């Protein structure tokens, strides 16, 4: 594999790449970056988890002049989660050069986005519906765009965005550089490529297995309310040297870190709201072993390179297979074996199967650890600590007391008491965590209100929609089952009120925002009027 130094990149970009923990390029990056830097149109066929974002992001940032004050690059993504994720990586790659980028997606206050656009970003990362909204408002102009990237194009077309994409691309100058990335190459993708790309190079990188073979992967199926007890037992049973636990949101990370501390574990949280000093302090403790459990969000853990991480635990299932690969890749490094556990609720089994399909790796199901297994694990760890101390020969000063005790007491009882003391008492403190909505695999479904026209949607398990109220976990954990807030779609718009009342169930408040009511506008959100309980993904 080539190193990034071999691509002829400017030092500020190389510095950003180094600080993100990347050294050698991945196959898709090695093939894409040289062609993209030459301005060649290309079709990249690659699964998530292969480094696509850097493949198009690095040459994009390399080409943009820092003094540029126009929108010169447009990246289109199917969902707001992907738009946020791509924007994060583009921000990191371009931070030392000073490149300005902005994510545009439904579900976020449109007035806030309009204010951000006045700071003259050079790169826009957006979902098609919200992009069209801004184009219609004349808050985004594409007259000066020189590069267009279509990321996960097959997903965008599956979600019904073909018309939107065509409308947007017709507004971009014909003399442009276009890159299309897709995991699959169905006929509609080929048609799109023929229409908008000029003699594209076709790059195909289909990995045999995305996830690392040295990582022992397993999942536990359980209910949301069982997760914390399962985590406590798992830590006790496995006795990790260093473990990273992944939560989906900043709130989850904060609550989980605090709960583990209450139970007596040496744990701290890491997420995007921490200052650089706080981050550095947490990471210093984790590296020197002052804490042995790090609870983190995906964004916070990107680029982390800590040797000796023996376990990764996905407390919440990640949004997509790429995130799963990034998460478990924190362990099993430098030829060492690692272990990755994933908690999956019954409604998330389909999403787990999607991860297995993309990573081409079967994840074994294992039972919830029992209390007996947890106790046995803690006792084993304590015994190992005693044996390690014996190997060190640094216990001579204690031999006198040991001889005296052995003369008075039974040796088995003495060692049992010592083991009990060293193992410590588990603090039986009641823990309540705010539940997270389950991840659901993406399903193609038909909207009867659109004359059978297929639109994108997210089915819950094997169903094709259903009452979203039934997707809520059981009681407890401070759930607000009686509230009138809305369930957000994947890209930010709402499914409709939880209480079953009528409302703008698929179209947000289009009348107040001056939008059309096409069913594919589901990523428009409800602009400044949005009151949905959206997930914070940083």
């Amino acid at each position: 594999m080539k190193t990034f130094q071999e691509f002829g990149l400017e030092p500020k970009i190389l510095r950003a790449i180094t600080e993100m923990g990347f050294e050698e390029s991945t196959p898709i990056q090695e093939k894409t970056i040289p062609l993209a830097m030459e301005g060649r149109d290309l079709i990249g066929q690659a699964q998530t988890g292969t480094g696509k974002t850097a493949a198009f992001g690095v040459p994009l940032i390399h080409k943009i002049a820092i003094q540029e004050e126009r929108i010169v690059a447009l990246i289109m993504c199917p969902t707001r989660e992907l738009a946020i994720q791509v924007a994060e990586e583009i921000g990191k790659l371009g931070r030392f050069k000073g490149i300005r980028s902005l994510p545009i997606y439904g579900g976020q206050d449109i007035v806030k986005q309009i204010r951000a656009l006045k700071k003259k970003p050079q790169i826009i990362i957006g979902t098609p519906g919200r992009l069209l909204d801004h184009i219609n408002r004349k808050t985004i102009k594409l007259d000066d765009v020189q590069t267009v990237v279509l990321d996960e194009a097959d997903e965008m077309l599956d979600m019904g965005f073909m018309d939107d994409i065509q409308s947007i691309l017709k507004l971009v100058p014909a003399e442009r550089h276009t890159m299309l990335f897709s995991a699959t190459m169905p006929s509609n993708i080929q048609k799109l490529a023929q229409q908008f790309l000029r003699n594209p190079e076709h790059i195909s990188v289909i990995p045999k297995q995305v996830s690392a073979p040295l990582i022992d992967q397993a999942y536990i199926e359980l209910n949301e309310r069982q997760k914390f007890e399962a985590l406590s037992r798992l830590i006790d049973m496995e006795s990790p040297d260093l473990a990273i636990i992944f939560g989906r949101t900043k709130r989850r990370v904060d609550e989980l870190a605090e709960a583990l501390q209450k139970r007596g574990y040496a744990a701290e949280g890491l997420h995007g709201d921490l200052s650089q000093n706080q981050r550095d302090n947490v990471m210093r403790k984790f590296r020197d072993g002052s804490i042995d459990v790090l609870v983190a969000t995906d964004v916070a853990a990107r680029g982390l390179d800590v040797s000796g991480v023996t376990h990764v635990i996905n407390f919440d299932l990640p949004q997509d297979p790429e995130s799963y690969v990034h998460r478990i890749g924190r362990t099993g490094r430098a030829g060492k074996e690692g272990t990755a556990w994933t908690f999956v609720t019954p409604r998330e089994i389909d999403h787990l199967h999607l991860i297995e399909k993309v990573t081409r790796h079967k994840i074994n199901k294992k039972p919830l650890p029992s209390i007996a297994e947890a106790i046995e694990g803690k006792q084993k760890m304590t015994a190992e600590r005693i044996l390690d101390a014996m190997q060190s020969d640094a216990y001579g000063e204690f031999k006198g007391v040991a001889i005296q005790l052995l003369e008075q007491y039974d040796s088995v009882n003495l060692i049992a008491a010592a083991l009990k003391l060293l193992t410590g008492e588990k603090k039986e403190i009641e823990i309540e965590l705010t539940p997270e909505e389950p991840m659901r695999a993406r399903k193609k479904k038909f909207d009867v209100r659109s004359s059978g026209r297929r639109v994108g949607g997210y089915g819950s398990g094997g169903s094709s929609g259903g009452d979203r109220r039934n997707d809520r976990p059981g009681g407890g954990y401070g759930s607000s089952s009686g509230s009138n807030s809305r369930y957000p779609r994947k890209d930010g718009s709402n499914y409709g009120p939880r209480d079953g009342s009528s409302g703008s169930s698929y179209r947000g408040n289009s009348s107040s925002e001056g939008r059309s009511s096409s069913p594919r506008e589901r990523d428009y959100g409800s602009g400044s009027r949005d009151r949905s309980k959206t997930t914070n993904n940083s």
Side-chain angles (χ1 to χ4, degrees):
M1 291 295 169
K2 281 187 177 181
T3 63
F4 285 95
Q5 280 81 358
E6 295 176 67
F7 293 123
L9 301 168
E10 56 187 289
K12 288 179 179 177
I13 298 176
L14 287 173
R15 182 185 168 194
I17 290 167
T18 302
E19 292 210 2
M20 290 170 74
F22 303 139
E23 292 176 4
E24 291 184 338
S25 58
T26 65
I28 189 70
Q29 292 162 359
E30 184 177 3
K31 293 180 179 181
T32 300
I33 291 173
L35 290 170
M37 287 177 70
E38 291 173 12
R40 298 284 300 276
D41 281 11
L42 59 89
I43 298 170
Q45 187 174 358
Q47 303 278 10
T48 51
T50 54
K52 285 189 291 101
T53 307
F56 62 73
V58 166
L60 191 62
I61 291 163
H62 178 82
K63 287 194 296 183
I64 296 174
I66 183 59
Q67 62 270 22
E68 189 62 75
E69 294 194 342
R70 305 166 298 171
I71 298 171
V72 292
L74 175 66
I75 302 169
M76 278 191 267
C77 305
T79 64
R80 74 172 185 179
E81 285 83 10
L82 185 60
I84 291 166
Q85 188 176 311
V86 170
E88 287 279 351
E89 192 147 348
I90 293 291
K92 287 178 182 176
L93 287 167
R95 63 180 174 147
F96 295 118
K97 185 171 178 179
I99 295 298
R100 299 181 299 280
S101 59
L102 179 68
I104 293 289
Y105 52 86
Q108 186 185 50
D109 186 347
I110 199 162
V111 177
K112 182 180 176 183
Q113 290 177 355
I114 292 168
R115 279 200 304 269
L117 284 163
K118 290 178 181 175
K119 295 178 182 176
K120 301 186 185 301
Q122 297 140 332
I123 304 173
I124 294 291
I125 304 105
T127 49
R130 181 54 70 97
L131 280 170
L132 266 184
D133 196 359
H134 279 283
I135 290 164
N136 293 334
R137 293 166 180 266
K138 299 188 173 14
T139 48
I140 285 180
K141 294 181 181 177
L142 305 178
D143 304 345
D144 302 308
V145 169
Q146 299 163 10
T147 306
V148 172
V149 178
L150 302 174
D151 194 13
E152 296 199 5
D154 50 353
E155 277 290 325
M156 285 196 282
L157 299 197
D158 279 349
M159 293 172 70
F161 283 132
M162 174 66 103
D163 292 344
D164 291 351
I165 293 167
Q166 289 176 325
S167 299
I168 292 166
L169 290 178
K170 284 173 183 174
L171 298 172
V172 180
E175 292 296 316
R176 65 170 182 269
H177 176 210
T178 310
M179 292 181 276
L180 181 151
F181 291 86
S182 182
T184 58
M185 283 295 147
S187 58
N188 56 359
I189 292 288
Q190 293 169 21
K191 177 185 171 186
L192 188 70
Q194 288 167 3
Q195 188 177 358
F196 292 105
L197 275 70
R198 297 173 299 177
N199 301 318
E201 288 279 341
H202 193 114
I203 297 166
S204 181
V205 178
I206 307 297
K208 291 180 182 177
Q209 184 170 297
V210 177
S211 46
L214 287 173
I215 302 171
D216 180 25
Q217 301 173 53
Y219 78 92
I220 298 171
E221 186 177 348
L222 73 185
N223 294 319
E224 172 77 16
R225 64 174 67 195
Q226 294 177 296
K227 281 185 176 182
F228 187 75
E229 286 305 321
L231 177 65
S232 299
R233 293 181 194 178
L234 195 57
I235 293 173
D236 290 345
M237 182 178 79
E238 294 280 297
S239 302
D241 294 339
L242 290 176
I244 301 178
I245 300 169
F246 283 97
R248 194 177 301 145
T249 63
K250 288 181 275 195
R251 178 187 65 192
R252 174 73 102 189
V253 166
D254 284 337
E255 289 185 359
L256 201 46
E258 185 181 353
L260 286 167
Q261 289 165 9
K262 286 179 180 176
R263 282 282 178 93
Y265 299 100
E268 288 206 27
L270 189 73
H271 56 63
D273 276 358
L274 300 183
S275 68
Q276 192 58 49
N277 281 342
Q278 289 173 314
R279 282 178 59 93
D280 291 345
N281 188 40
V282 171
M283 289 310 302
R284 179 185 51 77
K285 289 180 181 177
F286 191 54
R287 285 191 172 99
D288 68 21
S290 302
I291 58 171
D292 48 30
V293 176
L294 179 69
V295 190
T297 57
D298 287 305
V299 171
R302 282 294 168 97
L304 278 190
D305 190 6
V306 180
S307 60
V309 174
T310 55
H311 290 69
V312 165
I313 301 170
N314 295 308
F315 192 84
D316 297 315
L317 201 62
Q319 300 274 6
D320 51 52
E322 184 177 19
S323 295
Y324 177 83
V325 173
H326 277 292
R327 286 181 179 190
I328 70 168
R330 302 304 102 202
T331 186
R333 297 198 157 198
K336 294 181 180 177
E337 293 184 3
T339 304
W341 291 84
T342 301
F343 291 168
V344 184
T345 63
R347 291 185 181 277
E348 295 175 319
I349 292 297
D350 280 356
H351 194 71
L352 179 77
H353 292 331
L354 172 68
I355 291 172
E356 289 181 316
K357 182 180 176 183
V358 172
T359 60
R360 301 192 177 194
H361 188 100
K362 174 71 176 172
I363 303 171
N364 297 319
K365 182 178 182 179
K366 292 194 177 177
L368 181 71
S370 66
I371 294 173
E373 287 172 319
I375 292 169
E376 184 184 350
K378 288 191 80 172
Q379 291 173 347
K380 272 187 182 176
M381 181 192 67
T382 306
E384 284 173 12
R385 284 170 59 197
I386 293 172
L387 292 172
D388 287 343
M390 282 181 65
Q391 300 295 326
S392 69
D393 286 332
Y395 52 86
E397 61 192 288
F398 298 97
K399 282 186 176 179
V401 177
I403 291 167
Q404 289 176 17
L405 288 169
L406 284 167
E407 287 173 350
Q408 298 177 53
Y409 302 101
D410 176 69
S411 58
V412 173
N413 289 337
L414 267 177
I415 293 175
L419 283 168
K420 183 178 187 298
L421 192 64
L422 287 169
T423 301
E425 295 287 343
K426 184 179 177 183
K427 298 177 182 177
E428 292 296 339
I429 295 171
E430 193 67 29
I431 299 295
E432 287 192 2
L433 301 177
T434 308
E436 293 287 337
E437 291 302 323
M439 285 286 98
R440 283 176 283 273
R442 295 166 184 174
K443 298 280 184 182
K444 297 169 188 175
K445 63 182 183 179
F446 290 82
D447 188 342
V448 294
R449 289 167 293 181
S450 303
S451 304
R453 177 184 175 277
R454 189 178 75 201
V455 298
Y458 291 76
S460 54
S463 71
S464 58
D467 187 344
R468 314 310 286 188
R469 289 172 292 174
N470 293 334
D471 290 338
R472 294 179 57 77
Y477 296 101
S479 61
S480 53
S481 56
S483 73
N484 192 29
S485 55
R486 301 169 181 269
Y487 270 105
R489 285 178 181 267
K490 287 286 285 183
D491 56 5
S493 63
N494 300 316
Y495 279 101
R498 285 183 187 151
D499 62 358
S501 65
S502 63
S504 51
S505 64
Y506 270 77
R507 303 184 177 93
N509 297 324
S510 57
S511 60
S512 66
E513 290 294 318
R515 294 190 289 271
S516 68
S517 56
S518 162
R520 69 174 174 274
E521 289 182 338
R522 59 195 171 281
D523 76 327
Y524 279 6
S526 50
S528 58
R529 299 169 64 89
D530 180 46
R531 294 182 174 87
S532 65
K533 292 180 72 176
T534 55
T535 303
N536 188 340
N537 282 300
S538 58

